[in-house]
Amino acid sequence: MDVNKVLFISQEIAPYLPETPMATMSRDLSQAVQEKGIEVRTFMPKYGFINERRNQLHEVIRLSGMNLIIDDTDHPLIIKVATLQPAHMQVYFIFNEDYFARNITKQLETVTSPEDNDERSIFFVRGTLETVKKLRWVPSVIHCAGMISALAPLYIKDYYADDPSYRDTKVVFSIFDDDLPQPLDERLYDKLKFDGLKESHFKALKGKWADKLMLTKLALEHSDGVVQCAEHVCPEVMDLVKKSKLPFLPYQGESGNVDAYIDFYKSL
């Protein structure tokens, strides 16, 4: 497959958040891919922790203003952007005051209000995918990182299955040693159903709280490939990867290997 555009959807990106393995990988890999001459777009949530003035974020008026309906309620979508130096790479931020704080907080909203993580995840995923459509940018590969992005493969392969922007896109899901503070609310099933997704694609969620294993399984079922981005991943997740029989890229070390990632993208 020819790979000329890669979309990164990440829960965390350094230096906007502390340098966790996920935040560091999301920054370093996207920069390295861009340096190889591939067009890159990178999206993350605009958490209250992120200082807009220090990081020089500004709103992109032409991309903002859309309302996303989640569980029969309108939520305005605000898009902000910053340029990551020295790579001159733009990072887009998904914001809505219902899900992300306006003021600086000491913890991420995923931790301080975990009861909203189901809708926060839907909003982040849909907000990202709708914004990419507005950019008139068609990615060859979408690389997802973090549990907040775990619904992205489902939406790409179902909600946006016939959309020209995503119809031929390959989806890669990253596995880390991360988890959510608590499983997603059992009403996630109803909210996905409200969006018009096919129930057969997420029937396992009915009447259950979606924990890390359920979300990982759901993501793998709608992905084209999976990469291990942490040296140590719990055995239960690795079992899911093995059972999925998806193309698999093993852990490439802390420094990563951009050529291995690009070759993996091309093989899908």
Side-chain angles (χ1 to χ4, degrees), residues 41-105:
R41 296 289 185 273
T42 306
F43 282 75
M44 69 175 292
K46 195 289 169 186
Y47 302 102
F49 186 95
I50 299 170
N51 187 304
E52 295 191 30
R53 180 176 296 178
R54 183 187 309 130
N55 292 291
Q56 299 183 333
L57 272 67
H58 62 272
E59 184 176 347
V60 187
I61 303 297
R62 68 185 179 89
L63 298 177
S64 299
M66 181 187 304
N67 278 347
L68 300 183
I69 302 174
I70 300 175
D71 199 24
D72 208 21
T73 302
D74 282 2
H75 300 276
L77 172 63
I78 304 297
I79 308 300
K80 304 196 176 189
V81 70
T83 301
L84 189 57
Q85 302 295 350
H88 302 291
M89 183 180 75
Q90 287 192 317
V91 177
Y92 293 86
F93 298 82
I94 299 294
F95 177 73
N96 173 274
E97 62 183 4
D98 296 327
Y99 301 123
F100 302 104
R102 281 192 174 275
N103 300 319
I104 302 298
T105 60

Side-chain angles (χ1 to χ4, degrees), residues 14-174:
Y16 305 108
L17 294 177
E19 294 206 1
T20 64
M22 184 188 302
T24 301
M25 187 283 288
S26 296
R27 175 196 62 202
D28 292 350
L29 179 59
S30 54
Q31 285 187 2
V33 170
Q34 179 173 274
E35 288 168 0
K36 289 290 184 176
I38 296 173
E39 285 188 49
V40 165
R41 296 289 185 273
T42 306
F43 282 75
M44 69 175 292
K46 195 289 169 186
Y47 302 102
F49 186 95
I50 299 170
N51 187 304
E52 295 191 30
R53 180 176 296 178
R54 183 187 309 130
N55 292 291
Q56 299 183 333
L57 272 67
H58 62 272
E59 184 176 347
V60 187
I61 303 297
R62 68 185 179 89
L63 298 177
S64 299
M66 181 187 304
N67 278 347
L68 300 183
I69 302 174
I70 300 175
D71 199 24
D72 208 21
T73 302
D74 282 2
H75 300 276
L77 172 63
I78 304 297
I79 308 300
K80 304 196 176 189
V81 70
T83 301
L84 189 57
Q85 302 295 350
H88 302 291
M89 183 180 75
Q90 287 192 317
V91 177
Y92 293 86
F93 298 82
I94 299 294
F95 177 73
N96 173 274
E97 62 183 4
D98 296 327
Y99 301 123
F100 302 104
R102 281 192 174 275
N103 300 319
I104 302 298
T105 60
K106 293 183 179 180
Q107 288 184 302
L108 302 186
E109 290 81 338
T110 51
V111 175
T112 58
S113 56
E115 66 278 3
D116 294 328
N117 279 341
D118 57 342
E119 293 191 9
R120 184 174 288 116
S121 178
I122 293 172
F123 185 85
F124 172 54
V125 166
R126 285 188 54 198
T128 295
L129 296 174
E130 290 293 340
T131 302
V132 171
K133 284 175 57 179
K134 268 194 171 183
L135 288 169
R136 298 174 183 252
W137 196 78
V138 181
S140 311
V141 173
I142 298 178
H143 191 148
C144 307
M147 285 292 103
I148 289 298
S149 76
L151 294 177
L154 171 64
Y155 271 87
I156 294 162
K157 298 296 186 177
D158 183 327
Y159 192 90
Y160 295 96
D162 297 322
D163 193 297
S165 296
Y166 305 111
R167 191 165 48 211
D168 300 317
T169 297
K170 300 298 183 181
V171 180
V172 173
F173 188 69
S174 299

Side-chain angles (χ1 to χ4, degrees), residues 16 40 200 222 224:
Y16 305 108
V40 165
S200 60
H222 297 88
D224 299 290

